[in-house]
Amino acid sequence: MLNLDLDVLRTFVTGLELGSFAHAADRLGRSTSAVSAQLKKLEDQLGTAVLRKSGRGLMPTPAGEIVLSYARRLLELNDAAVMAVRGAELAGAVRIGFQQDFGEGVLTEVLGTFSRAHPSVSVDARIARNLELENAIEQASLDLALIWRTGPPAPRQELLGRIPMRWIGDPVLVDASFASGKPLPLVAFEAPCVMRSRAIEELDRAGIPWRITLTSASLNGIWAAVRAGLGVTIRTQAGKPAALPVIETLPKLPMIGVCLYRSTADSNPVLEQLAAIVKDRLRFAFA
């Protein structure tokens, strides 16, 4: 029976998820020639091509898509087993907060992975807006928080990467606003909100009139209003409902940083394990 090399599978998966095997080489600390040798080894083992050229990049063949699906599951089991063994003696409690944009997909996956690997650790999770999470960290009522970086680097903040802000909503609303000369309808969080401020700054800079049609204290309220056609909003694609399109006809928006904010600089094995899982879950978001 053929035994596939997990190290080779990790290179294959990483390259496809990053959209570049050169980026995969950098991420995995290998040379591009070593990555090429691993991909050739995989195809030799399977006796079929797993990649095909697509423009300047590579895409999986039908066989490669099958391998990709199984490889992800094998790597997830491998990583879970390693974490479970390394953290078998971990016990205690940890308190973590997630910015609302990360409150569904990221939170669910992170806590599921962590709880399976460390069943003796009690986890208290909170979903809130940036300012509330920052205050909770400063008051030590949270140990760790995944937040937007809204200013210069602060002590105990680890920048994980940056992702672009996007205009999200119905493009017809934008076209109708431009055609009629009426202000662009905006849906936004209650102030203070870094994305609300940036949306207004960019529209003012472009000379586009605007008006706030609805404010909400919750992200679910924002999405509901945008779905109802009450206006467009500015967020990232983190947690964006699949049915809501990104609008390309409004002013280009900058990137926003995502960071882990700790309440203490002291090392803590439980906290380090949880932080590692958060970073692993987000590692492809910043490619």
Side-chain angles (χ1 to χ4, degrees), residues 199-280:
I200 292 170
E201 289 171 9
E202 295 299 331
L203 292 173
D204 287 345
R205 186 175 289 114
I208 298 173
W210 55 270
R211 65 188 178 95
I212 301 289
T213 55
L214 182 140
T215 59
S216 173
S218 75
L219 186 58
N220 285 337
I222 296 288
W223 295 138
V226 173
R227 275 193 293 264
L230 299 182
V232 301
T233 194
I234 176 175
R235 303 304 302 164
T236 71
Q237 290 187 256
K240 180 186 79 67
L244 292 179
V246 170
I247 299 168
E248 303 291 353
T249 53
L250 288 169
K252 184 175 176 61
L253 296 164
M255 311 280 274
I256 188 168
V258 181
C259 71
L260 277 175
Y261 195 7
R262 301 167 186 254
S263 62
T264 176
D266 296 339
S267 180
N268 178 318
V270 172
L271 202 60
E272 295 307 322
Q273 285 288 323
L274 183 54
I277 292 173
V278 173
K279 292 183 213 177
D280 184 68

Side-chain angles (χ1 to χ4, degrees), residues 130-208:
N130 243 57
L131 184 59
E132 181 181 341
L133 295 175
E134 290 173 349
N135 289 338
I137 288 289
E138 291 302 319
Q139 295 164 10
S141 60
L142 284 177
D143 302 306
L144 186 69
L146 182 65
I147 64 171
W148 303 123
R149 175 176 282 180
T150 58
R156 308 186 312 281
Q157 284 189 3
E158 178 184 2
L159 180 66
L160 303 185
R162 294 179 175 85
I163 53 179
M165 291 186 276
R166 301 290 194 192
W167 296 101
I168 298 169
D170 186 351
V172 173
L173 280 177
V174 180
D175 294 340
S177 173
F178 286 170
S180 66
K182 293 181 179 179
L184 180 71
L186 295 180
V187 173
F189 271 126
E190 297 171 349
C193 169
V194 63
M195 293 191 187
R196 171 182 172 143
S197 298
R198 183 47 61 94
I200 292 170
E201 289 171 9
E202 295 299 331
L203 292 173
D204 287 345
R205 186 175 289 114
I208 298 173

Side-chain angles (χ1 to χ4, degrees), residues 47-63:
T48 187
V50 294
L51 294 167
R52 60 179 177 83
K53 287 188 177 180
S54 177
R56 296 183 179 180
L58 293 171
M59 296 289 290
T61 63

Side-chain angles (χ1 to χ4, degrees), residues 13 69 110 114 185 192 204 232 284:
V13 170
S69 176
V110 165
F114 183 82
D204 287 345
V232 301
F284 297 115

